[in-house]
Amino acid sequence: MATTLKDLGWKPFFQAQLDHDDTDSLTVARITARHRTQVIAATQHGEIPVPLQLLDGCDDVAVGDWLVLDAVTQRARRRLDRQSYLQRKAAGETVKSQPIAANIDTLFIVSSCNQDFNLSRLERYLVLAIEADITPVVVLTKADLCDDPAALRQQAERLHSGLIVETLDARDERQAGENLGHWCGPGRTVALVGSSGVGKSTLAMALGAGHIDTAGIREDDDKGRHTTTSRAIHRLAAGGLLIDNPGIRELQLPACEQGVSDLFEDVTAWFGQCKFR
């Protein structure tokens, strides 16, 4: 997948955690996919499968995590501290978080210019990104099928001060590169989130991620079908890495007090000044 750790997204933040280790006996690897019985880990020498039983106390790993493996046995010694961690509340009544991805630089929040466009849903994604200290970029796809995509873009921009919103046709490789290539350079990691059918996989392919299966949407309500069923890291044409996530139909927030406070700062600024508590 890559020839250097920097190609895989290695940064000084992670290197500082190895300064006192015997690096000759270690292999540093980044999780590129997680399956039921194993994870796929990318090293400087290629990808290797690591059975879950070799993760020991690191079994909570997410795609994007960095592991320190024993160079001989490939048993995980530890998971490196995360620079960022994106998670959501698992569906259902159980209070449990579900990992989305780790060590992301930029989150592409993808929505389409049709019935999927929903400001409340965009706000929830923004809260997750802000809470995780990840730069959010809203990407409005299928702009070619909308009479007034500029109006939707303006609505999204008003959700948060300084929020970047891009409108495009996800099938257009040139347009995708021009609008989003800035965040996809060497050593950078981006992730895609959004509902099924908004064009995440199509956008990933336009950015150079290789072939990913896609499917059409239902004509009556613009709902999509799940074609991406697991999270995985792809190399991009611009040199960066992209984590393609399955469509999220039910987005519930975990504990995100800071993210909510930052997103709705125009409201929280008035807390304490109300006449009635």
Side-chain angles (χ1 to χ4, degrees):
M1 182 180 185
T3 56
T4 68
L5 290 179
K6 186 176 180 180
D7 291 331
L8 292 169
W10 188 256
K11 294 180 172 62
F13 175 83
F14 306 114
Q15 182 62 47
Q17 300 178 52
L18 295 180
D19 285 347
H20 301 292
D21 289 334
D22 177 15
T23 54
D24 291 336
S25 64
L26 302 176
T27 297
V28 178
R30 192 174 191 190
I31 302 300
T32 60
R34 176 163 183 167
H35 305 296
R36 182 171 298 179
T37 60
Q38 65 180 12
V39 298
I40 304 300
T43 73
Q44 297 180 82
H45 308 294
E47 291 188 336
I48 56 174
V50 180
L52 293 183
Q53 60 263 33
L54 295 184
L55 296 183
D56 291 336
C58 308
D59 56 355
D60 64 335
V61 295
V63 172
D65 268 326
W66 286 95
L67 294 179
V68 177
L69 307 176
D70 185 284
V72 177
T73 66
Q74 295 183 359
R75 180 175 295 276
R77 292 194 180 183
R78 70 179 190 276
R79 171 181 56 77
L80 296 183
D81 291 341
R82 294 158 169 156
Q83 193 167 33
S84 63
Y85 179 54
L86 194 66
Q87 60 181 327
R88 67 174 178 131
K89 181 179 177 294
E93 298 181 359
T94 304
V95 181
K96 183 179 179 181
S97 63
Q98 180 181 23
I100 297 177
N103 300 313
I104 305 165
D105 298 301
T106 306
L107 183 67
F108 289 157
I109 303 170
V110 187
S111 179
S112 51
C113 297
N114 55 20
Q115 294 183 55
D116 178 78
F117 184 80
N118 184 299
L119 291 175
S120 296
R121 188 189 301 123
L122 291 178
E123 285 178 334
R124 292 196 292 275
Y125 280 120
L126 287 172
V127 167
L128 291 182
I130 294 170
E131 180 73 20
D133 197 25
I134 300 169
T135 300
V137 176
V138 173
V139 182
L140 301 181
T141 61
K142 305 184 182 181
D144 55 309
L145 303 179
C146 178
D147 293 334
D148 191 4
L152 298 183
R153 177 174 182 165
Q154 291 172 1
Q155 292 180 50
E157 288 174 338
R158 288 195 290 267
L159 292 176
H160 189 53
S161 176
L163 177 63
I164 297 174
V165 181
E166 299 287 352
T167 57
L168 48 76
D169 176 354
R171 300 168 300 178
D172 190 328
E173 296 182 11
R174 180 191 60 79
Q175 190 179 33
E178 290 179 354
N179 290 27
L180 305 177
H182 170 75
W183 294 281
C184 302
R188 305 283 296 175
T189 302
V190 300
L192 298 174
V193 293
S195 305
S196 296
V198 297
K200 297 188 303 298
S201 295
T202 301
L203 180 60
M205 288 189 289
L207 291 170
H211 177 74
I212 302 173
D213 290 334
T214 62
I217 59 175
R218 299 197 302 247
E219 293 183 3
D220 56 342
D221 59 3
D222 291 335
K223 296 293 185 181
R225 303 173 179 85
H226 284 295
T227 50
T228 298
T229 57
S230 61
R231 297 172 177 86
I233 289 183
H234 306 273
R235 274 298 288 276
L236 298 179
L241 302 160
L242 179 142
I243 301 176
D244 187 22
N245 290 285
I248 299 176
R249 289 180 178 170
E250 180 182 354
L251 179 60
Q252 299 187 47
L253 297 178
C256 294
E257 289 83 358
Q258 189 59 50
V260 171
S261 177
D262 289 351
L263 180 64
F264 299 104
E265 58 185 358
D266 55 336
V267 177
T268 57
W270 291 94
F271 287 2
Q273 301 183 44
C274 299
K275 179 177 180 181
F276 302 101
R277 291 182 178 273

